[in-house]
Amino acid sequence: MTWDAYHAAEHFTMRTARLIDRHRFAYHFQSGPTAPIRSALAAYRNLDGGYGNGIDPDMRGHASQPGGIAIALCYLDEVGPIPHSIGAGVCQFLANVCDPDGSVPHVLPTIRHTEAAPWLLETEDFTGRLDITALICGYLHKHHITHHWRDTATAYCWKRVDALAWTEPAEAIGVCTFLQYAPNRNRAIQAVNRLSTMIRAVIDVHPSVEGRVHTPLDLACHPHHIARPLFTDAEISRSLDVFEEQQRSDGGWDAIWGQWDPAVTLEHEGMRTIQRLRILRAYGRVGTYLPQPRRDR
């Protein structure tokens, strides 16, 4: 990635991204501090311990949603250890809204009373799902957040993973995040090896510049990820090439989500631009001239 392409991405982010994502860009690529990210993230947190208030651009309402919690945990994971008080609050909220087996849906019925993406407002099935439950559990295990909900949900994830006969991209991403951080490493490696064929079947291992698909890099977001061995060096290299070629002349990347509101589209594009830059740097496509982020200790 050229210096000019990086600067174009920087200008795009500073021009259009949300405040929290501007702070994330500064942290990841300009040696910025973590405190502004944590402060901005706190504004999305509710008294019930969950996250809402538009942290997921497609969910504009105040109410906490499991999908919003997943984004919050991802952001917290980027900047250092997740504080136990925040992790415990998240778990308690999820314990109050989960199914008996510990699973949670992407959105709760409260989504119907808010501004949200049309496909979310049309949700009819609010039963728990493996994709979002596994994603959240993965981050909780990585940061050693203990809670009875996490343990119940972990048992649910293992049961579902062991029984999987087919999957789809969002579920594969959640499962791979769970397997990346699950404490039983032998079991996790055996599981990802067993699932490798079905995961590859739902990922576009030969992506083109046009179109919005899930690529190997949506799972193996860095070279040491548990999903990385599922793909050849050539497939990873091709996906990186496509990422570079998909950067627009204004410096940003398209959001993959449906475009239902111009402001939401811009917010997603800011998030996607940072994600693409982080993956490109993890695989050595963004030069060493950029400072590395300084994680909290």
Side-chain angles (χ1 to χ4, degrees):
M1 187 178 189
T2 66
W3 179 253
D4 287 343
Y6 163 74
H7 267 301
E10 176 186 13
H11 291 313
F12 175 81
T13 304
M14 295 304 127
R15 187 169 61 248
T16 66
R18 302 182 295 181
L19 177 63
I20 189 170
D21 295 317
R22 289 160 60 105
H23 286 315
R24 290 175 62 228
F25 186 97
Y27 167 71
H28 286 295
F29 304 107
Q30 299 171 336
S31 198
T34 64
I37 300 174
R38 294 185 182 277
S39 295
L41 190 57
Y44 295 99
R45 194 178 185 214
N46 289 318
L47 293 177
D48 58 19
Y51 286 83
N53 304 293
I55 189 170
D56 183 326
D58 286 327
M59 305 177 191
R60 313 305 287 181
H62 299 299
S64 298
Q65 300 290 346
I69 287 173
I71 292 176
L73 293 179
C74 175
Y75 282 12
L76 288 166
D77 173 66
E78 291 178 9
V79 299
I82 296 176
H84 188 270
S85 59
I86 291 179
V90 162
C91 288
Q92 190 56 52
F93 171 79
L94 295 172
N96 292 333
V97 300
C98 68
D99 287 355
D101 58 9
S103 63
V104 294
H106 185 68
V107 293
L108 300 167
T110 51
I111 197 73
R112 291 176 171 172
H113 309 296
T114 68
E115 291 291 333
W119 55 89
L120 295 177
L121 295 177
E122 295 168 1
T123 302
E124 296 182 355
D125 184 1
F126 295 100
T127 56
R129 292 169 32 170
L130 177 58
D131 54 358
I132 193 70
T133 307
L135 191 67
I136 292 172
C137 275
Y139 286 123
L140 295 176
H141 279 293
K142 179 180 180 181
H143 292 274
H144 309 291
I145 304 296
T146 58
H147 191 273
H148 66 85
W149 174 81
R150 188 207 69 175
D151 295 340
T152 302
T154 296
Y156 160 84
C157 290
W158 278 124
K159 182 178 180 179
R160 287 291 311 279
V161 167
D162 289 343
L164 273 183
W166 189 247
T167 189
E168 48 87 24
E171 186 176 75
I173 292 170
V175 166
C176 285
T177 301
F178 173 73
L179 296 177
Q180 173 76 3
Y181 303 118
N184 190 331
R185 301 313 305 149
N186 288 335
R187 188 177 182 182
I189 292 171
Q190 291 173 4
V192 79
N193 289 338
R194 183 183 68 81
L195 299 174
S196 60
T197 300
M198 70 177 74
I199 289 175
R200 283 181 56 87
V202 299
I203 298 297
D204 190 339
V205 296
H206 301 293
S208 61
V209 176
E210 293 78 23
R212 300 173 183 178
V213 298
H214 289 87
T215 78
L217 298 174
D218 289 306
L219 280 78
C221 53
H222 57 79
H224 307 295
H225 198 278
I226 196 171
R228 172 60 185 86
L230 304 185
F231 309 103
T232 67
D233 291 347
E235 289 166 348
I236 293 292
S237 181
R238 172 57 183 159
S239 296
L240 291 167
D241 291 342
V242 167
F243 275 17
E244 292 191 50
E245 294 168 24
Q246 286 177 333
Q247 186 181 18
R248 302 189 309 240
S249 60
D250 65 0
W253 273 263
D254 287 342
I256 65 171
W257 316 113
Q259 299 183 13
W260 63 279
D261 181 89
V264 171
T265 297
L266 283 176
E267 291 182 2
H268 272 305
E269 288 177 352
M271 297 168 71
R272 177 51 54 95
T273 296
I274 295 172
Q275 181 214 37
R276 292 306 197 230
L277 287 175
R278 292 187 67 209
I279 292 173
L280 288 168
R281 180 165 65 180
Y283 282 94
R285 293 291 185 99
V286 176
T288 56
Y289 45 77
L290 296 177
Q292 292 292 322
R294 298 176 297 178
R295 288 178 64 86
D296 288 353
R297 299 296 180 186

